[in-house]
Amino acid sequence: MYFPPPPHAPMLTHQGEFYGTVSTNQHTNYALQGAYGLTNHLAVAGTFSSLHRKKSDRTENIDFAEASLGYFTRLPDKRVLEVYVGGGGGATERIERNEAQIVNKTLDGSLSKVFAQVNYAKKKQNSLHLFNRDFPLTYGAALRLSYMQLNNFKIDGLAAPGESNVFFEPITFTRTQIAGPVQLQLISGQIFGFRSNKYLKAANSVFQVGIVINLDKNTTLSE
């Protein structure tokens, strides 16, 4: 009943910097993310994630949005550290079918989340060399701890007990600068649930490929 949006990792460095990304994965899960540096250390960030897929035995519809407030700082040796706290909510639906394609169960409810996250990034010493060009590489990691709730839960239209879980999401990301402010990003990681639930559980890994745009950068990780 839950598919995790990718943890955001804007890696901001100064006031007025904007980060935006659109990404997807093999599950046709799309995510739009943005962040803005309010001051030289304070930032706001937001994510909207959508999953709508139909298989022979089920249909899944999940829409989820979250917002956060963060602190960022530039460390020595071109490192960046970010800390975010935030929350979010959304709607989830799962329709199950038998072999005759007849609906035999419908589950739906609302989702709510609060989370804390730490991001770390550092420029690699070497660049990717392709087509007689050097593409600067940035890599880093994000660690997110979330408390999730499945509320207003219904099975075939009848009220059912909700569930809650604590998720730990460690991810790594790699970015390469394509041209100007445009970068290609790869995110991979895992999600771990601390509670053994039937419906709200850590059933999906984190893997996203996307395009990142950073605007108004006076200093960058790829310098």
Side-chain angles (χ1 to χ4, degrees):
M1 300 297 293
Y2 173 64
F3 197 101
H8 58 274
M11 310 317 302
L12 302 175
T13 58
H14 64 274
Q15 182 179 3
E17 186 175 358
F18 170 79
Y19 157 95
T21 181
V22 56
S23 58
T24 188
N25 60 20
Q26 73 274 23
H27 299 290
T28 65
N29 170 233
Y30 297 93
L32 297 173
Q33 297 177 303
Y36 181 75
L38 297 174
T39 71
N40 282 328
H41 293 290
L42 189 65
V44 291
T47 296
F48 175 75
S49 176
S50 180
L51 172 70
H52 295 273
R53 62 180 176 181
K54 183 177 181 180
K55 295 186 175 182
S56 60
D57 61 342
R58 66 186 184 276
T59 296
E60 296 168 304
N61 298 303
I62 302 174
D63 292 304
F64 194 84
E66 59 187 38
S68 60
L69 182 67
Y71 171 85
F72 64 92
T73 186
R74 190 77 177 260
L75 300 176
D77 194 25
K78 297 184 179 179
R79 292 173 294 164
V80 173
L81 178 69
E82 295 182 319
V83 179
Y84 287 90
V85 292
T92 180
E93 179 186 55
R94 181 185 178 101
I95 301 171
E96 299 180 356
R97 293 181 292 273
N98 59 23
E99 294 181 357
Q101 295 298 294
I102 298 174
V103 175
N104 55 19
K105 182 181 287 189
T106 300
L107 309 95
D108 63 87
S110 61
L111 297 167
S112 61
K113 168 202 278 188
V114 292
F115 66 89
Q117 178 178 328
V118 177
N119 303 334
Y120 170 86
K122 181 180 179 181
K123 181 183 180 298
K124 281 188 176 180
Q125 297 299 318
N126 297 319
S127 298
L128 180 66
H129 187 75
L130 288 174
F131 310 114
N132 295 320
R133 284 187 58 191
D134 288 327
F135 295 89
L137 290 171
T138 299
Y139 73 102
L143 303 175
R144 173 179 285 200
L145 189 66
S146 304
Y147 175 74
M148 291 284 309
Q149 286 186 304
L150 174 61
N151 308 305
N152 306 313
F153 188 39
K154 294 181 181 179
I155 300 178
D156 294 330
L158 301 177
E163 293 183 342
S164 63
N165 211 332
V166 177
F167 294 129
F168 176 56
E169 300 169 69
I171 65 110
T172 60
F173 63 87
T174 301
R175 294 175 188 161
T176 181
Q177 189 172 1
I178 300 174
V182 180
Q183 302 174 63
L184 178 67
Q185 175 174 268
L186 173 65
I187 294 177
S188 63
Q190 190 57 266
I191 177 171
F192 302 94
F194 288 87
R195 297 179 181 175
S196 179
N197 290 333
K198 185 175 182 180
Y199 300 107
L200 189 62
K201 56 186 178 180
N204 298 285
S205 61
V206 179
F207 179 81
Q208 298 276 126
V209 176
I211 296 295
V212 174
I213 296 178
N214 273 94
L215 299 177
D216 190 27
K217 295 191 294 183
N218 294 325
T219 56
T220 71
L221 282 173
S222 58
E223 288 181 336

